[in-house]
Amino acid sequence: MALKQTFYISHGSPELAIDETIPAWKFLTSWKEVFPHKPSSILVISGHWDTSVPTVNVVNRNETIHDFGGFPRSMYKLKYPAPGAPKLAKRVKELIESSGLSRVDEDKKRGLDHGTWVPLMLMYPEADIPVCQLSVSSSRDGTYHYNLGKALAPLKDEGVLIIGSGSATHNLRAIAPRESPPPHWALAFDSWLKESLVKGRYDEINHYEEMAPYAKVAHPWPDHFFPLHVAMGAAGENSKAKVIHDSWDGGAFSYASFGFTSASS
């Protein structure tokens, strides 16, 4: 079944997997109300995999990577044994390389980092849908990742759910107690992001470092923002963006998440 939507999910803290008090937990556990279609496979572009060129994991079974430290012991026992999607990985490689954008490398050992398995554990707890990961390249820019998404657009017609997983704001130096109000810079960037997306100003998003207020404070490093550009590009130039979740945690961390619907739907 062809799909018409792509998504950008703010995955926040790894503890989202076990902490029901984080507002985004309810949103993700109710995912099938947001998106009731069961995809043939899932492609996740994770902010926790950063490489010099686009890279896909080509495996038959995904291992669960616990790529974090200082969390409760129970976190390190969690498993998300989703099947790998080697055919999808090869298709992703084919589409990107045929676009002329870049070569694509294959990683035949890597499993799923927490930017992928934490949200999917809540969204699709059955872990029965094949999953492939695609890396970001923080040495490139937003336009590059938008074009990466455009190259991947045909996957929607093949029933593939494309998810960018990152964080609408991501400044680890700004972590504060959970009930702390968001600082002014985070609110300003978050408001700009929502307005720009909903009004279709995608070129501003592609050039966010020049266009957005407090861009370098909200994203000192772009790895958690570029998955948004890929999801946006994969939906198409005239797609419509919608805010599908909006909450805060740890003071400066926005869990704002977005859906993009292709113009042809």
Side-chain angles (χ1 to χ4, degrees), residues 162-223:
I162 300 172
I163 298 174
S165 178
S167 189
T169 58
H170 192 254
N171 187 332
L172 296 177
R173 295 181 179 179
I175 294 176
R178 176 165 297 172
E179 302 304 322
S180 301
H184 70 283
W185 58 262
L187 288 170
F189 182 89
D190 190 66
S191 295
W192 169 85
L193 176 61
K194 293 170 188 169
E195 181 178 337
S196 297
L197 285 173
V198 170
K199 292 188 176 180
R201 301 199 297 260
Y202 292 174
D203 193 58
E204 288 189 17
I205 303 295
N206 286 341
H207 297 92
Y208 76 98
E209 290 181 310
E210 296 83 26
M211 303 299 295
Y214 305 103
K216 275 293 189 180
V217 185
H219 289 279
W221 200 249
D223 50 4

Side-chain angles (χ1 to χ4, degrees), residues 9-59:
I9 303 296
S10 290
H11 63 253
S13 167
E15 283 190 282
L16 177 63
I18 61 172
D19 191 343
E20 299 179 16
T21 68
I22 298 176
W25 185 91
K26 184 175 181 179
F27 159 62
L28 290 175
T29 54
S30 303
W31 176 252
K32 290 169 188 175
E33 297 176 14
V34 176
F35 187 75
H37 315 289
K38 185 173 182 177
S40 62
S41 54
I42 301 172
L43 175 65
V44 180
I45 301 90
S46 171
H48 287 279
W49 193 14
D50 193 348
T51 59
S52 59
V53 297
T55 307
V56 287
N57 73 323
V58 187
V59 297

Side-chain angles (χ1 to χ4, degrees), residues 66-101:
H66 300 91
D67 53 335
F68 44 76
F71 289 92
R73 287 185 180 181
S74 59
M75 288 291 302
Y76 302 92
K77 297 179 181 179
L78 295 176
K79 301 290 184 184
Y80 189 75
K87 290 183 179 179
L88 173 58
K90 298 287 188 179
R91 179 71 171 133
V92 169
K93 179 175 181 174
E94 174 191 14
L95 288 169
I96 295 174
E97 291 187 339
S98 65
S99 75
L101 192 63

